[in-house]
Amino acid sequence: MIAVEERPDPGAQIAGLIFAVLLLDPDMVVREANPAAEDLLHRSARRLVGERLLDVIGLDDERVAHRLGDADARLTVRGMVMRCGERAMQVNVTVSPLATHPGWRVMTFSEVGQGELGDEGRDETTLRAPSILAHEIKNPLAAIRGAGQLVARKLDEKDRPLAAMISAEVDRIARLVDRMQRLGSERADPVEPTNLHEAIRSAIATVRAAGGGGVELVEEFDPSLPPVLASRDALEQVLINLVTNARDACAGGEEPRVVIRTRFVSGLVSNLKLGRAIRLPIEVTVSDNGPGVDPSLRDHVFEPFVTSKSSGQGLGLALVRKLVRDMDGRIGHQRDERAGLTHFRIHLPLAREEGEPA
């Protein structure tokens, strides 16, 4: 049996939580902040402590701000828009008064749309199902295609376009099946030190070559960033999908614009892979000024077969999330209504220098 003195104290337990925790005094001044709060708010505890809460964050919902004025009120809000500096995010919030200390409260935040916590096992089961189905579909598809080619040789010239259409549709279904299989694959591409900006520029060049002009693609890079630990092919595929989606989303608007931004975010941690804590300090953001994802779909954008496109299959973002996870990274989606921007943010691990401990 573990001795009481060997157990983590309450401070250590709060520090280990994966969601942000703030301790507020009766004047709504921050008195404690755990590491997850530092990560979410992009401020150190030293800079947070002593600041009034509403000087640290901005709230678009006046009802929530009013409710915070009642020191005895409990509060639970899902999908609230919160601002920290110029950054906007959707968060779930709880506020719990401390009965033993009147006026003091504990406030928690967890970011919405990450799709990384609590659902990984469910997702793996969900994604394997279409992969198994895809495997069963491939054999009859090959037979249909072969039969179509044989029939085409015996048809009159005027009827051959019908046979060609059969082959073309079979090929289209085969490509969809390939994407379903890749989505359900348990094998990840090997990772290695990768130049992030080279991968982004290659992806942008691919998107430009595919057409769809009229949308401005803007690079805002931090040139000092070191290599990331990633699969170059998988990273390019992720970026091609995200930039293409962003371009399509804003293409019909005035002055359509997609911004691809990179930066270093100190201290961000994601608990992945058998409980290992992996630092994810490299951030890539793809932003567009389109109308955004339908609000009813925003919490489900990374799920398979969810799409707002009339011609989409809903596999692109599900595949993006899988590839990012395979590289031990995280991806999230946020809508900033005030700025009229949609953001997809990827966080990736650094490539370790030779000899550096894991």
Side-chain angles (χ1 to χ4, degrees):
M1 184 172 179
I2 298 175
V4 172
E5 59 271 16
E6 295 178 7
R7 298 176 186 172
D9 62 28
Q13 295 175 40
I14 292 172
L17 292 174
I18 59 176
F19 53 85
V21 179
L22 298 178
L23 175 64
L24 306 177
D25 71 12
D27 296 320
M28 283 211 302
V29 173
V30 178
R31 293 305 176 189
E32 297 284 349
N34 73 340
E38 296 179 284
D39 294 336
L40 184 66
L41 301 175
H42 292 181
R43 288 198 193 189
S44 66
R46 182 180 299 177
R47 292 180 57 204
L48 287 169
V49 171
E51 293 287 327
R52 284 183 54 81
L53 175 68
L54 296 182
D55 291 335
V56 174
I57 65 172
L59 304 175
D60 283 1
D61 193 327
E62 294 182 0
R63 295 171 301 174
V64 175
H66 177 73
R67 187 76 169 167
L68 284 172
D70 183 353
D72 297 322
R74 296 175 179 269
L75 183 63
T76 302
V77 184
R78 293 183 59 83
M80 181 185 77
V81 176
M82 184 179 80
R83 298 180 173 278
C84 186
E86 296 182 356
R87 196 166 56 100
M89 66 190 88
Q90 272 193 307
V91 293
N92 297 329
V93 179
T94 68
V95 178
S96 304
L98 298 178
T100 56
H101 294 72
W104 288 75
R105 288 168 280 181
V106 174
M107 191 172 194
T108 70
F109 306 94
S110 59
E111 197 168 356
V112 173
Q114 295 300 336
E116 298 296 334
L117 303 175
D119 62 353
E120 191 164 352
R122 182 191 69 193
D123 285 344
E124 287 176 356
T125 302
T126 303
L127 298 181
R128 277 197 288 271
S131 179
I132 294 169
L133 178 62
H135 178 75
E136 295 300 321
I137 290 172
K138 271 196 165 181
N139 286 337
L141 273 182
I144 292 170
R145 195 181 198 288
Q149 290 172 334
L150 288 173
V151 168
R153 297 174 187 172
K154 300 178 181 180
L155 291 176
D156 294 335
E157 189 68 31
K158 63 182 178 62
D159 294 325
R160 286 182 183 175
L162 294 175
M165 184 180 70
I166 292 173
S167 294
E169 286 301 297
V170 167
D171 289 343
R172 184 181 64 82
I173 296 170
R175 290 192 295 272
L176 175 59
V177 167
D178 286 340
R179 288 198 292 273
M180 290 170 66
Q181 281 194 305
R182 190 175 186 190
L183 191 59
S185 172
E186 297 180 13
R187 185 178 62 189
D189 292 343
V191 296
E192 60 185 0
T194 301
N195 186 307
L196 175 63
H197 296 142
E198 287 182 0
I200 295 175
R201 288 193 172 107
S202 178
I204 290 174
T206 300
V207 173
R208 283 185 171 133
V215 177
E216 183 183 11
L217 302 182
V218 181
E219 300 174 2
E220 294 185 1
F221 294 168
D222 177 351
S224 68
L225 293 183
V228 297
L229 192 63
S231 160
R232 172 67 182 261
D233 288 344
L235 182 56
E236 284 191 25
Q237 185 61 58
V238 165
L239 294 163
I240 288 169
N241 283 20
L242 292 180
V243 175
T244 299
N245 284 353
R247 181 202 63 190
D248 294 346
C250 66
E254 295 183 8
E255 299 182 2
R257 191 168 187 258
V258 175
V259 178
I260 303 93
R261 182 179 296 108
T262 65
R263 66 171 186 158
F264 188 90
V265 183
S266 177
L268 188 65
V269 173
S270 180
N271 294 318
L272 299 169
K273 302 294 183 183
L274 302 178
R276 289 190 292 118
I278 302 171
R279 293 182 64 245
L280 303 173
I282 305 299
E283 182 180 273
V284 185
T285 304
V286 178
S287 306
D288 71 78
N289 60 354
V293 178
D294 186 312
S296 65
L297 300 179
R298 286 177 187 170
D299 291 343
H300 308 282
V301 292
F302 296 110
E303 296 176 13
F305 312 115
V306 173
T307 181
S308 58
K309 295 182 179 180
S310 59
S311 60
Q313 293 95 24
L315 295 178
L317 287 176
L319 179 58
V320 161
R321 180 173 64 168
K322 179 193 183 302
L323 295 177
V324 171
R325 279 180 169 177
D326 285 346
M327 295 182 284
D328 287 349
R330 289 176 58 190
I331 182 166
H333 162 264
Q334 296 164 351
R335 176 64 183 174
D336 185 343
E337 292 291 358
R338 182 179 296 179
L341 297 172
T342 299
H343 307 290
F344 281 85
R345 287 193 175 90
I346 305 169
H347 294 103
L348 295 169
L350 284 172
R352 293 191 300 272
E353 299 293 338
E354 187 174 348
E356 183 182 342

